[in-house]
Structure formats: C-alpha cells, structure tokens
Amino acid sequence: MTGNHKDKTITRRRAIVVTGGTVAAGGLAVAGYQSAFADATTPTDATASASSISTGSECMTLMTSVTEGPYYLDGALVRKDITEGKSGVPLTLRLTVVDATDGCTPVPGAAVEIWHCDAWGYYSGYTTADPGGSAPAESEDGSTANDATYLRGYQIANGNGVVKFETIFPGWYTPRTCHIHVKVHTGGEKEDGTYEGGKINYTGQFFFDDTVAEEIFTLEPYSRHSGSYTTLDNDMVYDDGGASSGLLTLKAVHKKDPSKGYKGFLTLGIDPDAESTGAGSGGGGTPPSDAPTGTPPSDAPTDSASPSASASS
C-alpha cells in the first residue's frame, strides 16, 4: 500500500514507453493496435488485420488466469455502453480475442464479459460494501444507474475477434489497485438480452499504469474518495507480467487534458478448448453478507443496439 493516492512516483518495476500520449505495455505489435482501434474495416482491411494478428512475431502467449473476485453477478447484459449514467473519466476499451494455441488467429463470436467498480470504489449489486478510505455514499453520485447492473456487460467478438466497450475509468477500493474484471466465453449465444450457455475459457483482470491512474484520481469525482491507493507493485493479484497479465495499453484522447478520457486496448490470448473455474491466483476482498446473487431484476435496462451492430463496432 502507498500513502496518499495522489503520490505520482513512477514505479521502477514498470517497463513503460510513453510516446505521443500513449502508454504502451507488454509485447503487443503495432499492427494489432491499429486493428483494435479501427472503427470500421473493408473486407480487405479485415483480412489484413486478422493476418497481422496471427502471423506477427509478437503473438500473445496465453493470458494469466486469476480470481474472478467476490463481486461477480450472473446475467450481465449484452451491450456496448455499460455506464448507465455513472460519472467518471470516459474509457473506451478495444479488446481482441485470439487463439494462442493456433497462431493467435482471431476468435469470432467469443463473448467478452467485463465488470468493475465506479469512481468511488462501489460495485453494482454490492453497494453496501465499504471501499475503504473516505468515500461518499454510492447514492450521492446523482446517476440513474440500476443498483444491480451498472458497469457490467458483454460484447460479442466480430470477425476479427474484436469487441468494444464504452465505460468510465474505474476507481479503487482497499486493498486493490485499479482494475477491471473479465471473462471470455465461447459456445453460447445471446438470449433475453444476456449471454447463455457455452463455457468460460478465461477469467482475468485488466490493470492500469500507476501514473495514469493516480492522475485520474486527482480529478472529480474520483478525488472525493481519499485514502491509501494500492499501486501495481503492491497489488495482491497483478504479477508484474505486463500485457500477458492484463496490463492495458492506454492512449489519451487529449494529451493535455486527462478528463477527456482514454482509449485502452489489449489482445487476449486464450485457449478456446480450455475451461476456467474462476479460481485463479490472488484475492479481492470480501463482499457484504447481504450481497445479492443471481440474475439482475426483470426491470433492468436493456440495450437497443442489435448484437451484430454492437459486435462490429
């Protein structure tokens, strides 16, 4: 644990390259970055993008599986925008799912599920859990978010294995560093607004460079949560493995104004034949005893976008 979360000391264990507003971590090829952030591709472009992922010399190894943590809920919605009005610095995630056992070829149709806390460290469905330090009550943020569904969702990978999420930069809670949880599913299908069936191939977490996170936490509404922020070096889950351990590459939308948001990307190297139990290394705290379980309520918000439109964006 560090002292105050506004301390911006650069950790020596991070091998970080900062160029043109981009924080690059791990061995990801430039071609993969360009593919992940392409908003649209022609058939020729799609073929080229898939080829660059599968034949590049820096093909991802299998991602490191870790615990799903105590704040998982079944029944997340298939949708691109998971914010539900939660305030925070905008974050666009572009994730590419590849088969690390077969030359890192894309895995179209893979369902990527993410969930994370809000700017003050609260998870939907677990809003009575204390995030540590001094934080306002979750209800004080003025959002219209559903208590059991905000900052949770699925996206279905397109032909290049790519999914996109619109969310906010996560906050933090004791004793964890800033992170996003993820599961990759295959073999199921969208049903009643969520994803059913199939199997979970990978359970992991995404992480953020300390210098970026700590700058974000000086901004509203994050700055209203004071206390000791856990850096990557001291986190109980992150193992210092860079991209293969979930460290995102980040690009600032505006170089001089972090409040404008970030784009984050990562290639997820999975084994589509494997099955993950979610019982990997590390921990994540203990949820309150009265935490809800099961599917979200029947009046949960829905996403009007079709799954095909969402997957291709």
Side-chain angles (χ1 to χ4, degrees):
M1 300 285 285
T2 64
N4 190 284
H5 65 269
K6 296 182 182 180
D7 178 9
K8 299 182 181 179
T9 302
I10 298 177
T11 56
R12 289 179 293 178
R13 293 175 63 195
R14 296 284 79 69
I16 301 298
V17 179
V18 182
T19 305
T22 302
V23 178
L28 294 176
V30 173
Y33 173 86
Q34 293 171 335
S35 171
F37 278 101
D39 287 319
T41 58
T42 63
T44 300
D45 293 334
T47 301
S49 296
S51 176
S52 67
I53 293 172
S54 62
T55 63
S57 61
E58 298 186 55
C59 175
M60 286 290 295
T61 58
L62 281 170
M63 298 292 292
T64 303
S65 292
V66 298
T67 177
E68 73 175 26
Y71 299 112
Y72 181 71
L73 286 177
D74 290 325
L77 301 168
V78 177
R79 54 186 180 171
K80 180 172 65 178
D81 187 336
I82 64 173
T83 57
E84 291 190 25
K86 278 287 180 178
S87 57
V89 170
L91 175 66
T92 298
L93 287 177
R94 292 274 193 165
L95 308 169
T96 304
V97 184
V98 299
D99 183 350
T101 69
D102 186 26
C104 285
T105 53
V107 185
V112 180
E113 177 185 16
I114 66 170
W115 68 101
H116 64 84
C117 68
D118 67 7
W120 296 336
Y122 295 101
Y123 280 86
S124 58
Y126 298 91
T127 55
T128 60
D130 184 0
S134 178
E138 183 269 347
S139 59
E140 292 180 28
D141 74 345
S143 75
T144 57
N146 186 299
D147 175 58
T149 57
Y150 67 75
L151 305 177
R152 299 177 184 269
Y154 282 94
Q155 275 288 277
I156 312 301
N158 65 13
N160 288 332
V162 175
V163 299
K164 174 183 175 182
F165 289 96
E166 300 291 346
T167 186
I168 61 170
F169 205 98
W172 59 276
Y173 60 92
T174 304
R176 293 298 317 282
T177 194
C178 180
H179 64 283
I180 293 175
H181 295 268
V182 59
K183 288 178 182 283
V184 178
H185 309 244
T186 57
E189 60 185 15
K190 182 181 177 182
E191 184 176 332
D192 297 329
T194 186
Y195 184 85
E196 301 289 347
K199 62 183 176 182
I200 300 168
N201 305 105
Y202 168 69
T203 301
Q205 298 181 24
F206 301 143
F207 299 97
F208 299 81
D209 174 59
D210 290 327
T211 57
V212 175
E214 290 171 357
E215 182 174 34
I216 294 294
F217 297 155
T218 67
L219 306 175
E220 282 284 348
Y222 304 89
S223 59
R224 296 179 65 191
H225 183 192
S226 61
S228 296
Y229 167 67
T230 301
T231 62
L232 289 171
D233 278 345
N234 295 306
D235 188 62
M236 65 176 69
V237 176
Y238 182 66
D239 65 3
D240 202 35
S244 64
S245 296
L247 188 61
L248 291 164
T249 294
L250 300 173
K251 179 178 176 62
V253 172
H254 190 287
K255 295 179 184 179
K256 297 182 179 180
D257 187 355
S259 69
K260 299 297 184 183
Y262 279 84
K263 294 181 179 180
F265 88 92
L266 190 64
T267 298
L268 304 177
I270 70 163
D271 178 355
D273 295 324
E275 188 160 7
S276 170
T277 63
S281 62
T286 304
S289 58
D290 59 347
T293 59
T295 58
S298 58
D299 60 349
T302 59
D303 186 14
S304 58
S306 68
S308 60
S310 296
S312 63
S313 60

